[in-house]
Structures are given as C-alpha cells and as structure tokens.
Amino acid sequence: MLYIGIDVGGTTAKAGVVDENGHILVKSSCKTGIERGFEDIAADMAALCHRIVRESGHTMDEIAAAGVGIPGEQSPKTGLVALCNNLGWVDVPLKERLCTALGVPVYVDNDANVAALAESVFGASRDASSSILVTLGTGVGGGIVQNHRIHTGAHGVGGEIGHMVVVVDGEPCNCGQRGCWEKYASATAIIRMGRALMRDKPGCALAARLGGDESLLDAKAVLDLAKEGDADCLEIFHTYVKYLCIGLSNLISIYDPDMFVLGGGVAYAGKFLLDAVRESLGKYLYCPSLPYARVELATLGNDAGIIGAAMLGRNG
Amino acid sequence: MLYIGIDVGGTTAKAGVVDENGHILVKSSCKTGIERGFEDIAADMAALCHRIVRESGHTMDEIAAAGVGIPGEQSPKTGLVALCNNLGWVDVPLKERLCTALGVPVYVDNDANVAALAESVFGASRDASSSILVTLGTGVGGGIVQNHRIHTGAHGVGGEIGHMVVVVDGEPCNCGQRGCWEKYASATAIIRMGRALMRDKPGCALAARLGGDESLLDAKAVLDLAKEGDADCLEIFHTYVKYLCIGLSNLISIYDPDMFVLGGGVAYAGKFLLDAVRESLGKYLYCPSLPYARVELATLGNDAGIIGAAMLGRNG
C-alpha cells in the first residue's frame, strides 16, 4: 500500500506519496501562510495530495491513509487542531476536511512527533526500543517514540520537551513561561550568546568574521569559530552543551529512553556537537554508573516530516 | 494466590502477606541499617517472610511471588541492586538471595515506583490510564505508571522525577547535581525556607510558635501557620507551590500523565495543598487551554510500599 505524508509549516506545506519502506515516490508543496484562512489552505493541501498521487502514476484507491504533521497540537478529545501558532489556527477541523476531500483515513500529530516517528522507523533510532528526537532549531522540539509509536500522553500534550523549565524565573519564552529549555538549547540561544559576545567584546573573532554586523549572526557562525578553536565561541559552545545535556539528563531521569536523536539546525555541527554531548552527558546524570541513553544524529533530514506523517497513516 | 510485599527502608524492612485484592493479611518488620552487612540483612528479610507467611496461617506453597521496594536502583541488565545509598549497597544480589531463600520468583524495583504501582492498582489512581505518584518527603520521589505497569525506562533509571533539574546551578543536591526539583519541592525545602525566615525575622509567628528553637522546625509547623493565615508562612507556601507546579508542568510537557497523585509528608497538608496546586498548575502550563492531568492525594499511606511490592509479584 501507499501513504500520503504532509508536513505543514508556517509558509509551505510539503506532501509526498510514500511507500511501505519509507521511500518518497513523488513530492511537492503548496503555500500556507498565517494571512490565509484555514479553509483555503486545507483546500490547497487536498488539491496538492490529489496532484502528487496522479504524478506518482497511482490512484487514490491505492492510498491506504494520509498523515499530517503540524506545528501545533490536535486535541485527541475533539479531533480539532487546538492550537497552531504559526498559522493562527485555533480549533480547526483539519482531519475532517482532509478526510472528506481525500476519501481516506487521516491522522494528525505534532510535526516534531512525526519527525521522531520517521527517525524511529527508517532513521537513526530504527533499532531503538524507545527514542527521543530533539530538534535543535529556532526552538527546541521533540518527540518521544516507544516501540515505534509516538508517546503523546493521556491528553495529547506530551513530548513538548522544549518547554520543560530548566531555569525557574529564567529567560522569557514565547509560550508565556520563563526558563524553558528551548531558551537555552536552541539555535536562538547560541545567537543570543553570540550577540552578547559581540557587544561585550567588539574586538572578538566573531565580530571580525561578521564585519561587526550583528544582522549576519547565526548559530553556524558561532559554531564554526568554536570548531576552529576560538576561545570565546568555545565558551559559548560549552555553555550551550551544558544546558543541552542538563535537559537530556532530565529526560533520562524521567523517561529513560533507549536513545536520543539530535536533529535541527544546530545538529548540522555534526560530530563536533555529538562528541561534546557524549563526553559531557554523564557529568549531569543522577546515577552515571548505570547505563543510559546513547546519542546519535538524525539521518533523514528535511524528509523526516513527510516520511513520518506517512507512517502515522501506516501505524493507524 | 498470595504474594509477599517487602518495603525496604534505611532502618527497617516491613513485609506483608498480601492477597489478590491488595489486602494485607499479616505484616511485620525487621531491622536493616547501613552499619549491617548485606548478607545479614538479606537473611533477616528472608526469615521475616517465612515468619509472616506462617503467622498468616498459610504456607510458602501458596505464595506466588515476592516483590521488594528498595530505596535505590536495580540494574535490569545485571539483576543486581546497583545503588542503595541508605544501606550502602552497591551491586548486591538481593533478588537472587531472596529467590533462593524463599523458593518463589522475586521482583525488585525502586520504592517510589512500587508505591506508585500500589496507588494505581488500589489507590487514588486506580481509574487512571497513566499516573505519576509524587512523594513530597525528605526528598521528592516518584513513579510513573502506565496501564498499571511501572515505567522504568530502557535502562531502569526512569521515574527519578525528584532529580530533574529546574534551576541550573541552583541548590546543591545530595546526588551531586545542582538545582534538582527535590531541593525546592520537598519537606526539606519548606524547612530551609522556614529556617531562613526565623533568622531574617526573629519576631515572626513561626519563631514564636517554636520558642525560637530552630531544632523544632519541621514542614508541618510552617504549613500549619500558613493554613492559619500567617503572611510569612503563606509566602513560603506559595513559593513552594510554585516550584511544585513547575515540576508537575514539566512532567505534563514531557509525559502528560492522566493524573498526578501527591503523597509523602507534605501531602498531609491535605486539601490546603491540593486546592493550591489545582489552582496554580494551569498558570505554569505550556498550553493551559488543552485538558491536562488532574491532581489527587495518595490514599494508601504507609502501606503503599508493602502492597505495591506485592503487586510487582502479581504483575510478574
């Protein structure tokens, strides 16, 4: 059988026709955008699905189900997308609209959960009994997968690991709380620390590299200089790794997954990041003498969203 | 069938003969103590089990299994108790010794996990699909139960919720880390804040109640005065509830249990605590508009350890 996987973002929705083995036969995208109404976007998404199925040389009859990863939360009670900040959606009937338009069962889950599912089926954690994907991007997203099924919890709000508070009364977060992990372990945190460095020490290597232009600052610039051995950027990197490891340690103390998978923009630092995390994690554990989760990098990249959404449909 | 439940503590081990319905037929105890060797304690525990079975009017043939709750961790890989600080045990073969001495299968788990299991089978969370017991005592213990089975994680180190870090670089914890939740949400945290109050404000109601004697200070004294409306102790109480709720919120963001059960010494404050937690919890949630875990008080009291240990055996 074949499946449709849809990865909904704030500016585009990507969709693919995916086979049982996680291979994407055809993929394409359409625009979303917070300025457009839900009905229009839902109609475009349905049209996109019909189009890619045609382009794949198959028919909708051969599609077993469709899955959708959204940057928000669907309430398991109401079946409505309760909250989707990037698209301004509140209590919208996404599942029902697509179900009607496509004539197949539709499954909806959070995008980070869906990416975690993809990694657990075809990616870095495919051999793990349980895994937590930690996406280190603008924020920190995540998904917990146990025996190849997403753990969303009793009310569908679990797996929001980026909003675990690690510093009570700490940095204000977009969610309205303070001190959330994502304020310290995201690419945004590296940029914040880089900015502070450029202001405190205008002669630093980072400022020189960027010609003093703060607007050019991204996490990669800091990470690249840290890799090159620049002391200031290494200090930022070590602070970052400390906060990252404390959050991972919390997840071990609570959930104790078989493994962690690191994804998102910061994970492009690759082995440099992975080695640092592996070296540091034990220092922050409650009981480091017992075995604990191994850490690997995500392998599916940007396709994880489409593949994981399709697997939502396969898992049913 | 009948089961033996053993609740091992730093000074005594309590054991009971428990029936299928969680009723304790006979219970008794023996001494433990960090100064005594493991072999002597294990022998005494085995003798205690044989004695209570006799006293119950049954024979060992009628015992299906024995369960043990320990203030530490057994490694699922080695089957040894890897760590049990209160008893100075490191890598001791508790399961094997008792199995040989009793001639029945023996199951070992952390004492807080075992109490959580008891509450989920016969106590406050018996109707919950998943629950987290949070014991607010000298430290903060806890256990996660899903479908009446303890979630110990892939390496047996999950459910150690008291050691989730909520204040990076915060109060030093006995575990060697800093800023663990139990440094802010335990009875010990209330005592610490009470002591600071007595020092900063010698004329306060708390100091008056205790005749200025810090050695008489316990969490109950602070909670009692808070209940009576004393402004200083209410301030401590509200600070305590804030930290307690932030930890619960973290557990919701990560695990999203059906419900929380509050136990341990601080939970004896009863409705006063429960009302405050229920009122405050929503303020600290990532997405308070979605449904989230209800909160109740534990109902099994001190017998939870024996009953839960017996249920370890029943669950197999």
Side-chain angles (χ1 to χ4, degrees), chain B residues 56 76 121 165 171 187 197-198 298 315-316:
Chain B
S56 74
V121 178
V165 171
E171 295 279 337
L197 171 63
M198 287 173 72
N315 282 358

Side-chain angles (χ1 to χ4, degrees), chain B residues 240-312:
Chain B
Y240 175 82
V241 168
K242 171 183 168 177
Y243 281 92
L244 177 55
C245 286
I246 287 173
L248 296 178
S249 168
N250 281 358
L251 293 171
I252 288 173
S253 291
I254 296 164
Y255 198 88
D256 181 21
D258 191 9
M259 74 178 291
F260 288 111
V261 179
L262 304 183
V266 179
Y268 288 123
K271 194 170 177 304
F272 181 63
L273 176 72
L274 192 61
D275 288 349
V277 169
R278 285 175 175 168
E279 193 186 313
S280 298
L281 184 52
K283 280 190 286 190
Y284 298 105
L285 293 179
Y286 163 63
C287 188
S289 66
L290 285 174
Y292 57 88
R294 62 207 155 93
V295 186
E296 299 287 351
L297 297 171
T299 59
L300 297 180
N302 287 331
D303 284 339
I306 292 175
I307 298 171
M311 291 308 108
L312 274 185

Side-chain angles (χ1 to χ4, degrees), chain A residues 266-299:
Chain A
V266 180
Y268 289 122
K271 195 171 177 300
F272 180 63
L273 176 72
L274 192 60
D275 287 349
V277 170
R278 286 176 174 167
E279 192 186 313
S280 298
L281 184 52
K283 280 191 286 193
Y284 298 104
L285 292 179
Y286 162 62
C287 190
S289 65
L290 285 174
Y292 56 88
R294 63 209 155 96
V295 186
E296 299 288 351
L297 297 171
T299 59

Side-chain angles (χ1 to χ4, degrees), chain A residues 32-49:
Chain A
T32 56
I34 195 165
E35 70 289 353
R36 298 185 61 205
F38 162 70
E39 297 293 346
D40 283 357
I41 294 175
D44 284 358
M45 281 165 60
L48 170 66
C49 291

Side-chain angles (χ1 to χ4, degrees), chain A residues 132-193:
Chain A
I132 301 183
L133 172 68
V134 185
T135 57
L136 308 166
T138 308
V140 172
I144 303 174
V145 177
Q146 178 92 36
N147 296 326
H148 303 298
R149 297 198 82 90
I150 297 168
H151 175 91
T152 52
H155 311 85
V157 298
E160 282 293 347
I161 58 177
H163 294 282
M164 114 176 101
V165 171
V166 295
V167 183
V168 171
D169 298 329
E171 295 279 336
C173 183
N174 299 338
C175 76
Q177 302 299 329
R178 301 184 69 120
C180 294
W181 190 31
E182 75 169 30
K183 298 309 292 179
Y184 303 89
S186 60
T188 311
I190 295 176
I191 294 168
R192 188 181 68 237
M193 291 187 279

